[in-house]
Amino acid sequence: MRLLLAEDDPRLLKSLTHIFEANRFVTDGVSNGEDALSYALSREYDGLVLDIMMPGLDGIEVLKRLRREGVLSPVLFLTARSEVSQRVEGLDAGADDYIPKPFSTSELLARVRAMLRRKCSYLPDLLSYGGVVLNRSTYEIEYNGEIQALRGKEFQIAEMFMQQPHRIITTEQFITHIWGWDTNVDTSVVWVHISNLRKKLDALKAPLRIRFIRNAGYLLEDRPDDL
C-alpha cells in the first residue's frame, strides 16, 4: 500500500514516516500543502494522511482541489483537538476520517487500515464508460455483447483509464501504479500493453480510443465519428 503523508512538523513527519514504513507502507512525506497537492496529482496513492494546519495550502483546501480533479483516494486528517469546526469542514469536503493530536501509534495505524479496507470494499465489480464495461471479477472487457479477455497488465491499464476517462495519465504513473516504485521496467513495455489494449477495443468496435499526447501521456476518450 502506498501512502502520502503531509505534516509540517519536521520531527513528527520523520517519526510518522518511520512508523508507516515499519508497518510495510510505502510512504512519501511532504511538509506543506503545495507539495501534497503536487504529489497527489502526479502519483498513485492508496490513501492520504494530511495535517489540516499547514503553511500555504491547508489540508482542507488540498482535499477540495483533489476532489475537483477527480482524485478519489481516501483521506485521513490529522487535527488539533480544538479544530472542531475544521474537522466538520474536512468531512464535508470528502475526508474519510480524522484523528486528533496527540494520538497513539496503534490508533493511527488502526484508522489507516480501516480507511483502506473501506476503499477496497467500495470498489464495484464493473466499471463502465461509453457503453464499454470492464469486469473486475473476470478481467474481461465487453461492448454490445462482444467480449475480449485481458491479460493482467492490460487489465490494470484499462482499469486506470476507465477510472479517469478524458484525463491524461503519464507513462510514469502507469509504471509506478502497476509495477511499483523501484522497478526497472522500460517505458516501451507500457506502450506494448497499451497497443494490445487498443487492438482489443478495435476488435470490439468500441466507441472509445486511447490517444497519445506528445510530452504528456495517454488518455481514454470517445472515438470521433470520422474514425
Side-chain angles (χ1 to χ4, degrees), residues 90-139:
L91 292 170
D92 286 342
D96 296 79
D97 199 0
Y98 68 87
I99 183 170
K101 301 175 184 176
F103 45 77
S104 69
T105 297
S106 59
E107 183 183 7
L108 174 64
L109 290 172
R111 285 179 179 270
V112 169
R113 288 193 294 265
M115 175 180 73
L116 297 176
R117 283 197 301 271
R118 289 195 297 271
K119 174 200 174 188
C120 293
S121 67
Y122 290 158
L123 289 176
D125 286 338
L126 303 178
L127 287 174
S128 178
Y129 176 68
V132 177
V133 177
L134 178 68
N135 191 318
R136 281 174 157 145
S137 298
T138 63
Y139 280 35

Side-chain angles (χ1 to χ4, degrees), residues 37-107:
L37 181 63
S38 176
Y39 271 62
L41 288 174
S42 63
R43 307 182 186 190
E44 296 291 331
Y45 293 101
D46 296 293
L48 313 179
V49 179
L50 305 178
D51 188 17
I52 284 185
M53 297 300 292
M54 291 188 291
L57 296 178
D58 63 27
I60 293 174
E61 183 60 29
V62 170
L63 176 58
K64 288 179 178 178
R65 296 192 187 189
L66 291 176
R67 294 299 188 245
R68 285 199 296 267
E69 292 294 325
V71 176
L72 301 178
S73 301
V75 172
L76 170 71
F77 273 136
L78 307 178
T79 77
R81 289 191 180 275
S82 61
E83 297 167 351
V84 177
S85 62
Q86 289 176 316
R87 293 202 296 266
V88 173
E89 185 182 359
L91 292 170
D92 286 342
D96 296 79
D97 199 0
Y98 68 87
I99 183 170
K101 301 175 184 176
F103 45 77
S104 69
T105 297
S106 59
E107 183 183 7

